[in-house]
Amino acid sequence: MSKKTPQAIRGTQDIFGPEAEAFAHVVETFERIRRLYRFRRVEMPVFERTEVFARSLGETTDVVSKEMYSFEDRGGESLTLRPEFTAGIARAYLTNGWQQHAPLKVATHGPLFRYERPQKGRYRQFHQIDAEVIGAGEPQADVELLAMADQLLRALGITDVTLHLNTLGDGASREAWRAALVEHFRAVRGELSEESQERLEKNPLRILDSKDPRDKPFLADAPKIDDFLSDEAQAFFAAVTSGLDAAGVKWVRAPALVRGLDYYRHTAFEFIPDAGSASAAALGAQSTVLGGGRYDGLIESLGGPPTPAVGWAAGIERLAMLVGAREEPRADAVIVVENDARLADAIALLGRLRQAGFASELLASGSPKKRFDKARKIPAHVLVSFPVAETGETIRLLGDGSPTAAALETLVRGR
Ligand code: ATP
Ligand code: MG
């Protein structure tokens, strides 16, 4: 047997202390906001049959073709660790007959898995918060989701991130645009990056996303979706933007914004740090914090009835980086037992304080002489000490003068 200690898997993180506090703060804030917007909580399996993702995301996407953690289980079935939430939620919508709840507003959070090149802000196990509205075809659903995302960011104190908004039109608009893009890029095929040459056949919209300098010269004059939008698609987008204006959500038009997945229709969006802002500096190259859009075709691709839907997801780690490390909250009370004969009294008091809702901890181990000094170093509103008998005192209280300390002192004295 090897004596070497095991290492964590590449691209995973062990999150602790102030970073873990930031992570928890993101999740707690999301939970509060999703209740304000009346989104219902769902818990989803971490793995699904591989086909759930292959069929809904499309075989040509980066996620399905390169990034999935797929394996055969002992029964010989191909399973995949979820790389995103939407496909699993769509599957559950069909399996459980959640149509009866349509329009269904749901929210969840948890770990996702993608085989990517790990770097700052990009991991192989990462976490998302996620919100979806299934069975709602009106632009109002898009507006509500975007207002929710915007309020979440503001509640987290993130003010230098802006909504970049685009429309991909309906199925027909998108197809016409796609054909025009293929024609445009085919003419300069040999000068494109290898990756974009490959995308030309499989997923030409994604070329617009390219960061490769060889592709850049051909992006600016590429055909624009606006020239291909049907009247319906135009009206839909206008309703989304006027709804955002009414809701006070700031946005900018991003005509080249396409989302990586095949299933998007109409609205597509990302929240991106403003150039030169603190958030841009904090995130570096991984700039998108929250992304989503409308995926009216997805449920059909899983064999369900035509079902309009829209949703978004945001990386918890990236949001936590923008929030910044947060101090672990101070204790309300620290109880220190300098006199071991008083341990039972201390345990009883500790129980009462916690029952009353005061965050409290007990220090009763190690050298009794050193305990008091140790206890003083723990940030707390009140220090309660059970001193040695010779001092004459049965209990000593050191408060910081805060209202919490006053309430605690009353409780400790009045036992
Ligand atoms: P990117 O362009 O950064 O690869 P994406 O388009 O693949 O993002 P989505 O699938 O839309 O990302 O996921 C939504 C959000 O989840 C992203 O905006 C990001 O905050 C987060 N995210 C995606 N992949 C990762 C990852 N590997 N590590 C950490 N966060 C991630
Ligand atoms: Mg990606």
Side-chain angles (χ1 to χ4, degrees), residues 346-365:
I347 291 173
L349 176 62
L350 178 68
R352 279 214 313 285
L353 293 182
R354 287 175 172 167
Q355 294 288 339
F358 292 106
S360 309
E361 61 182 287
L362 176 69
L363 224 143
S365 63

Side-chain angles (χ1 to χ4, degrees), residues 1-7:
M1 224 168 66
S2 161
K3 289 242 170 63
K4 267 171 81 180
T5 52
Q7 299 297 300

Side-chain angles (χ1 to χ4, degrees), residues 184-250:
H184 171 79
F185 288 120
R186 216 170 247 156
V188 293
R189 192 196 164 94
E191 294 168 74
L192 298 175
S193 66
E194 294 76 29
E195 201 171 7
S196 286
Q197 294 192 22
E198 201 180 307
R199 283 174 175 152
L200 188 52
E201 306 308 324
K202 295 180 178 155
N203 205 343
L205 267 55
R206 285 288 274 171
I207 299 176
L208 297 174
D209 237 5
S210 172
K211 311 260 166 342
D212 195 302
R214 287 170 291 174
D215 299 329
K216 282 262 157 84
F218 309 107
L219 301 183
D221 61 343
K224 301 281 179 299
I225 179 67
D226 287 12
D227 297 329
F228 301 90
L229 290 179
S230 64
D231 290 347
E232 290 79 12
Q234 250 170 48
F236 191 97
F237 191 56
V240 172
T241 56
S242 59
L244 290 174
D245 293 340
V249 177
K250 290 212 182 66

Side-chain angles (χ1 to χ4, degrees), residues 143-161:
V143 172
E144 183 174 36
L145 273 164
L146 286 165
M148 178 177 167
D150 188 66
Q151 186 166 351
L152 171 73
L153 292 173
R154 276 185 288 121
L156 290 171
I158 302 168
T159 53
D160 53 2
V161 166

Side-chain angles (χ1 to χ4, degrees), residues 114 116 121-123 126 128 259 288-291 313-315 318:
R114 294 183 193 176
E116 308 209 56
R122 186 174 295 283
Y123 314 100
F126 63 102
Q128 282 180 346
R259 303 277 306 147
T288 303
V289 283
L290 185 153
R318 290 189 197 174

Side-chain angles (χ1 to χ4, degrees), residues 299-343:
I299 294 201
E300 256 181 296
S301 69
L302 287 175
T307 309
V310 52
W312 56 252
I316 299 177
E317 288 86 351
R318 290 189 197 174
L319 287 170
M321 284 161 77
L322 299 189
V323 165
R326 281 171 73 86
E327 253 177 58
E328 294 174 84
R330 71 174 37 222
D332 291 320
V334 169
I335 304 175
V336 55
V337 181
E338 294 175 271
N339 176 359
D340 282 334
R342 305 291 306 280
L343 182 61

Side-chain angles (χ1 to χ4, degrees), residues 366-396:
S367 150
K369 287 209 171 88
K370 292 188 185 147
R371 284 178 204 163
F372 190 79
D373 287 338
K374 258 198 194 163
R376 290 195 71 144
K377 293 200 179 111
I378 303 172
H381 290 295
V382 168
L383 180 63
V384 187
S385 149
F386 287 87
V388 276
E390 298 93 79
T391 65
E393 291 175 281
T394 64
I395 201 163
R396 253 194 301 163

